[in-house]
Amino acid sequence: MRMKSVIPLQQDMLNLDDIRALPPEMFPMMVLSNGYTSVFGFLISLTTKDFWNHFMWVISPEHFATQWWWFCKKPLDDFRKHSLKFWNNPDWTQAEKAAMQQFIEGELKKGKWATRYDVIGLLFKAAGIELPNKYNFCSERLSVLACVDAGVREWLKDNCSPSPEEVNTFLKSQPRFKVFGRIQPG
């Protein structure tokens, strides 16, 4: 049996066990998701007319940090029926990764009410009405990366509430970000 490299090729297909096998220093990584069985995810894709309908962070071999009804930790297995696309920057230093992890942990500690999902905003967005962003959309969690990346900070000034697909397009346009791997549900 061939052992996968710790750093897979750009378009390498992975499974959740490959993520579990990564050493802690590989985290965090950005993740785009499309949940085929999620009604809420389907509604987001319908609203945005895009494939990717969720953005989150994989923060350990066992957990995602994700904007659910509030920002929380979820086990990897909760996303076993999702298409997943993992992004990183191979040049991130351990200090940068530690800063992002610390930022994520700080957001997780804020709790349910401070980090709740903007359901009302999504409904208005679906109706074509833009409201001031009072709560949180998942892809706004790209702000974690802004704590260590000036280019992302600048982009977020003009794109303060990007869709997951807009995040994907932005990451693809920046040579420093690489697709670590993908998972397709089996």
Side-chain angles (χ1 to χ4, degrees), residues 16-81:
L16 290 177
D17 287 334
D18 294 325
I19 301 301
R20 285 187 187 96
L22 294 174
E25 60 270 10
M26 292 298 297
F27 301 99
M29 278 191 266
M30 299 168 282
V31 184
L32 289 159
S33 169
N34 181 312
Y36 298 101
T37 60
S38 165
V39 172
F40 198 64
F42 172 75
L43 290 173
I44 292 170
S45 285
L46 192 62
T47 299
T48 62
K49 298 175 181 59
D50 295 324
F51 178 76
W52 298 112
N53 58 36
H54 192 61
F55 174 85
M56 59 189 164
W57 290 87
V58 60
I59 57 172
S60 75
E62 292 294 331
H63 290 101
F64 291 107
T66 181
Q67 184 67 50
W68 214 242
W69 294 111
W70 61 89
F71 193 58
C72 59
K73 280 186 188 179
K74 290 279 186 180
L76 261 57
D77 284 334
D78 283 8
F79 293 88
R80 71 186 176 284
K81 293 182 180 179

Side-chain angles (χ1 to χ4, degrees), residues 17-184:
D17 287 334
D18 294 325
I19 301 301
R20 285 187 187 96
L22 294 174
E25 60 270 10
M26 292 298 297
F27 301 99
M29 278 191 266
M30 299 168 282
V31 184
L32 289 159
S33 169
N34 181 312
Y36 298 101
T37 60
S38 165
V39 172
F40 198 64
F42 172 75
L43 290 173
I44 292 170
S45 285
L46 192 62
T47 299
T48 62
K49 298 175 181 59
D50 295 324
F51 178 76
W52 298 112
N53 58 36
H54 192 61
F55 174 85
M56 59 189 164
W57 290 87
V58 60
I59 57 172
S60 75
E62 292 294 331
H63 290 101
F64 291 107
T66 181
Q67 184 67 50
W68 214 242
W69 294 111
W70 61 89
F71 193 58
C72 59
K73 280 186 188 179
K74 290 279 186 180
L76 261 57
D77 284 334
D78 283 8
F79 293 88
R80 71 186 176 284
K81 293 182 180 179
H82 292 230
S83 290
L84 302 171
K85 184 178 185 181
F86 295 83
W87 285 91
N88 74 353
N89 176 343
D91 296 326
W92 281 333
T93 66
Q94 286 306 315
E96 288 170 324
K97 289 179 186 180
M100 289 186 289
Q101 286 281 38
Q102 187 175 21
F103 189 99
I104 292 167
E105 288 299 322
E107 290 295 298
L108 289 168
K109 288 178 184 173
K110 287 182 179 178
K112 294 178 182 180
W113 292 108
T115 64
R116 63 188 177 270
Y117 190 84
D118 193 356
V119 175
I120 302 296
L122 182 63
L123 295 174
F124 275 93
K125 197 171 202 150
I129 302 167
E130 292 292 328
L131 291 178
N133 192 8
K134 188 172 182 183
Y135 301 112
N136 301 283
F137 288 129
C138 62
S139 46
E140 292 169 359
R141 295 297 175 181
L142 186 64
S143 62
V144 169
L145 182 54
C147 78
V148 299
D149 190 302
V152 171
R153 266 192 308 278
E154 281 301 309
W155 185 75
L156 284 173
K157 285 180 186 176
D158 295 327
N159 302 279
C160 60
S161 189
S163 71
E165 191 63 47
E166 289 169 333
V167 170
N168 186 52
T169 299
F170 172 74
L171 294 173
K172 287 193 294 189
S173 75
Q174 305 297 307
R176 66 189 175 281
F177 300 116
K178 306 290 184 214
V179 174
F180 182 81
R182 300 168 189 265
I183 294 176
Q184 290 297 329

